Amino acid sequence: MPPSDSTGAVRERANWLIHVLYIHQDYDECLKKIEEQLKEYNGLCEYPIYVKALIKRQRGEIQDSLQLFQAATCLNPNNINNLKQVGRSLYLLGKHKAALDVYREAMRLNEEDWEVWHNQGLCHMYLKQHERAIDCFKQANSIQQHDATYMQLGKVYTLQEDFRTAIEVYLEALDFSPDNPEMLTTVGLLYLRLGENYRAFDFLGNSLTHDPKNPKTILAAGSIIQDHSDMDVALVKYRVAAVATPNSAQLWNNIGMCFFGKQRYVAAIACLKRALYLDPFEWIISYNLGLVHLNTGQYASAFHFFSSSINLKPDFPSSYMYLAITLSRLDDFEKACSAYEK
């Protein structure tokens, strides 16, 4: 016999308390109250199960959260939020095809839910189905515009190396949300990739006015300043970034090359070696160490670092040129000629 409306109301009387405890992030007390409710009503309480699943997922217990969201869906299969959370848990577990099946089921309940379209786009993107992902993100934006959807749509175009279209997407997003520092930084980085440094610097500078301590933005702006040989200003920028990301190999690489530009070779080598320690498979760090050692006359060390750089990135011509110069300084003319030919 189905429960009466009054029984359902009694069962839901503690939902407000569970909600308050959850939004105050008092998770232990919240779980305690949830267990009381589930014990009292033999586990037939949709909202306590839903909140318990949210807490489990926040604690990294994704598989447990999935089972709980599925249980909530069994209790109320017409609640689209339950289905969306099942899909989200499957997505986080890397089960993108299964997540897509759940989101298609959710669309039967509501085709105009932007979040369902957005999440389908994420699944298609990770399955490398880029055109489908683009269609889903565009559909999500047609229902309701969100920064997150614009960011992901631009990311898909970037993965396709269609940088101009990606920039157009982000510029459209900036009309909708002009003060988003992440969006401004992303546009700046794309212009940087296209070699349009002045336009890049405009967007990066605008981003820094909204978020002056963003390490990613500082690093990009600093690299442009560094390219214009203003090493002292670049070092001031990097000092701010170093507080937030002291273990960034790219940051220490750039700092090292600033010191190299100032002809402070010992400091340059120290910074570059720290960068190499943090990311030993980044070819540009080995290349830069080769340049510094070549400049200081330490040819054996320069040979070692240029060889390492070539092993990591064999299609960069300058590495072979400087390796040849190093070999000629070591009086190995035969191998130097071979390197020039490569």
Side-chain angles (χ1 to χ4, degrees):
M1 182 177 176
S4 65
D5 291 343
S6 60
T7 306
V10 170
R11 186 183 297 152
E12 293 173 4
R13 66 186 175 187
N15 286 1
W16 70 271
L17 180 57
I18 291 169
H19 177 72
V20 169
L21 291 169
Y22 176 73
I23 61 172
H24 287 164
Q25 298 183 10
D26 189 354
Y27 297 139
D28 291 331
E29 193 61 34
C30 186
L31 285 172
K32 190 175 172 184
K33 188 64 186 174
I34 287 169
E35 292 305 327
E36 287 176 10
Q37 284 291 102
L38 294 176
K39 187 176 179 181
E40 186 175 352
Y41 295 104
N42 299 317
L44 299 175
C45 309
E46 178 192 356
Y47 186 70
I49 292 173
Y50 181 87
V51 175
K52 183 179 179 181
L54 289 175
I55 294 171
K56 289 279 187 183
R57 193 164 69 196
Q58 285 185 336
R59 290 180 170 179
E61 299 170 38
I62 312 296
Q63 187 64 48
D64 290 344
S65 79
L66 171 61
Q67 292 169 356
L68 288 164
F69 283 128
Q70 287 171 331
T73 305
C74 290
L75 288 173
N76 187 359
N78 294 320
N79 186 340
I80 194 171
N81 290 320
N82 291 336
L83 282 170
K84 285 196 289 186
Q85 296 299 347
V86 170
R88 180 68 180 165
S89 291
L90 286 166
Y91 167 79
L92 292 172
L93 288 167
K95 298 177 180 178
H96 300 117
K97 289 182 180 178
L100 281 170
D101 290 338
V102 173
Y103 288 130
R104 289 190 192 105
E105 188 67 30
M107 283 181 63
R108 293 180 188 175
L109 298 175
N110 183 5
E111 287 189 359
E112 296 298 308
D113 190 311
W114 77 271
E115 197 176 358
V116 174
W117 284 103
H118 174 90
N119 290 337
Q120 283 188 93
L122 288 176
C123 292
H124 285 303
M125 184 172 72
Y126 281 100
L127 290 168
K128 294 184 167 55
Q129 299 168 348
H130 293 149
E131 293 305 322
R132 289 186 181 181
I134 288 168
D135 291 341
C136 288
F137 289 134
K138 284 183 176 178
Q139 184 65 29
N141 265 340
S142 70
I143 295 167
Q144 194 173 345
Q145 291 178 316
H146 285 83
D147 287 357
T149 307
Y150 278 114
M151 287 298 295
Q152 295 301 332
L153 179 57
K155 185 178 178 180
V156 176
Y157 283 121
T158 304
L159 289 170
Q160 293 180 319
E161 298 190 351
D162 188 353
F163 302 125
R164 291 289 176 191
T165 308
I167 287 171
E168 288 173 14
V169 169
Y170 292 131
L171 291 177
E172 183 185 337
L174 286 169
D175 290 337
F176 162 69
S177 182
D179 298 331
N180 185 325
E182 187 182 2
M183 201 86 70
L184 290 163
T185 298
T186 306
V187 175
L189 290 171
L190 284 171
Y191 276 126
L192 200 57
R193 290 182 78 166
L194 292 169
E196 299 181 26
N197 287 6
Y198 287 107
R199 297 187 79 173
F201 195 73
D202 282 344
F203 281 96
L204 293 169
N206 196 356
S207 176
L208 286 171
T209 60
H210 299 293
D211 187 3
K213 293 185 178 180
N214 187 319
K216 184 176 168 184
T217 316
I218 291 168
L219 196 59
S223 67
I224 296 172
I225 295 166
Q226 193 173 341
D227 286 344
H228 288 82
S229 302
D230 199 343
M231 304 302 176
D232 290 321
V233 175
L235 282 169
V236 169
K237 295 283 185 191
Y238 293 146
R239 191 177 292 124
V240 177
V243 174
T245 54
N247 295 322
S248 167
Q250 193 178 0
L251 175 65
W252 286 105
N253 175 66
N254 286 15
I255 292 170
M257 294 313 288
C258 275
F259 283 126
F260 178 58
K262 289 165 67 69
Q263 298 185 347
R264 292 172 59 183
Y265 301 123
V266 175
I269 289 171
C271 292
L272 287 167
K273 284 194 171 177
R274 179 166 182 174
L276 192 66
Y277 168 76
L278 292 167
D279 190 351
F281 298 109
E282 180 55 70
W283 70 272
I284 192 70
I285 301 169
S286 294
Y287 174 78
N288 288 337
L289 274 164
L291 286 177
V292 179
H293 283 98
L294 178 62
N295 204 265
T296 55
Q298 300 173 63
Y299 302 125
S301 294
F303 170 77
H304 164 75
F305 287 115
F306 284 130
S307 298
S308 177
S309 175
I310 288 167
N311 286 331
L312 292 166
K313 188 174 174 65
D315 60 348
F316 188 62
S318 295
S319 298
Y320 293 99
M321 182 184 74
Y322 284 116
L323 178 64
I325 293 169
T326 304
L327 287 166
S328 67
R329 299 284 170 85
L330 290 167
D331 298 328
D332 192 340
F333 298 112
E334 187 180 339
K335 287 184 180 177
C337 290
S338 175
Y340 275 126
E341 285 169 9
K342 287 183 179 180

